Amino acid sequence: MKNIQISPSILSADFSQLGAEIKRLENGGADMIHVDVMDGHFVPNLTIGPPVIKALRKHSSLKFDVHLMISPVHQYIEAYANAGADIITIHPEATQNLRESINTIKDLKKKVGVSLNPESKIELITEFLAHIDLVLIMSVNPGFGGQKFMPEVLNKIKQLKKIQQEKNLSFDIEIDGGINFENCKIAIDAGANILVSGTTIFKSNGGDIKKNINLLKLK
Ligand code: DX5
Ligand code: ZN
């Protein structure tokens, strides 16, 4: 049984103080930092790119869990690796050749994740599960923080868990979008071992990050 890890999304942080905000997350007990990269094309929002990740790198020793919601993604992978990403997660719909993109991330000695939007089927990635480190299941349509959790994606997590056990695979299962104190337990019980959360961590309990992270870990 894997330990439950929390990957706070900086999409809900104060963008004018991102260095201090990731320090606050580290001091609050975050296991890694979820960096939502958006290009205004794959998703209808635009956030940050490699220069910002490079600038943030010195402010935390935590792993940067970089979620690339960009398309086309392949030609940008190296830039995010060089900027300091530790985990690089891509969407299968954003690359012409998922196998090639996965291999590129691994050749750069980074952990590789693949993300499925709520409408995307597991069949898109089953042949790659033995070659990746993480599957990121979106529980909202990507693009914005603060959206409503979509419980129907829990079936995908249960399906993934079953495949993982049948094939004795060890990829992490991360869930991302609308995670809060009410639904974190059902997400964990379904099989997620990494929870992404932005709004709940930064906005609940007067922004008490340590308290909010522990509550999500069911502590
Ligand atoms: C949405 C992002 C999520 C989102 C999570 O496209 O991928 O990481 O920021 O934020 P909350 O927890 O506010 O839904
Ligand atoms: Zn994300």
Side-chain angles (χ1 to χ4, degrees), residues 57-124:
R57 186 63 277 177
K58 58 182 172 298
H59 290 274
S60 174
S61 55
L62 287 181
K63 286 198 181 335
F64 280 5
D65 168 33
V66 177
H67 178 193
L68 295 181
M69 290 163 274
I70 67 176
S71 171
V73 66
H74 189 78
Q75 65 257 47
Y76 295 104
I77 290 171
E78 188 165 4
Y80 285 96
N82 294 340
D86 297 286
I87 303 167
I88 296 178
T89 296
I90 61 176
H91 285 254
E93 300 90 343
T95 174
Q96 299 276 348
N97 184 326
L98 183 55
R99 183 173 303 281
E100 191 186 335
S101 296
I102 289 170
N103 289 338
T104 298
I105 296 170
K106 294 171 86 155
D107 291 347
L108 290 160
K109 307 281 181 272
K110 303 298 178 181
K111 295 280 184 202
V112 53
V114 178
S115 182
L116 292 177
N117 283 338
E119 303 308 315
S120 303
K121 300 267 174 281
I122 283 188
E123 287 65 35
L124 266 179

Side-chain angles (χ1 to χ4, degrees), residues 98-157:
L98 183 55
R99 183 173 303 281
E100 191 186 335
S101 296
I102 289 170
N103 289 338
T104 298
I105 296 170
K106 294 171 86 155
D107 291 347
L108 290 160
K109 307 281 181 272
K110 303 298 178 181
K111 295 280 184 202
V112 53
V114 178
S115 182
L116 292 177
N117 283 338
E119 303 308 315
S120 303
K121 300 267 174 281
I122 283 188
E123 287 65 35
L124 266 179
I125 63 168
T126 24
E127 65 183 284
F128 303 103
L129 289 175
H131 308 286
I132 60 178
D133 302 288
L134 177 142
V135 178
L136 173 55
I137 296 295
M138 295 306 296
S139 34
V140 294
N141 285 307
F144 299 91
Q147 299 180 79
K148 197 169 168 338
F149 179 74
M150 298 167 71
E152 57 270 32
V153 306
L154 293 172
N155 290 328
K156 253 188 272 188
I157 292 186

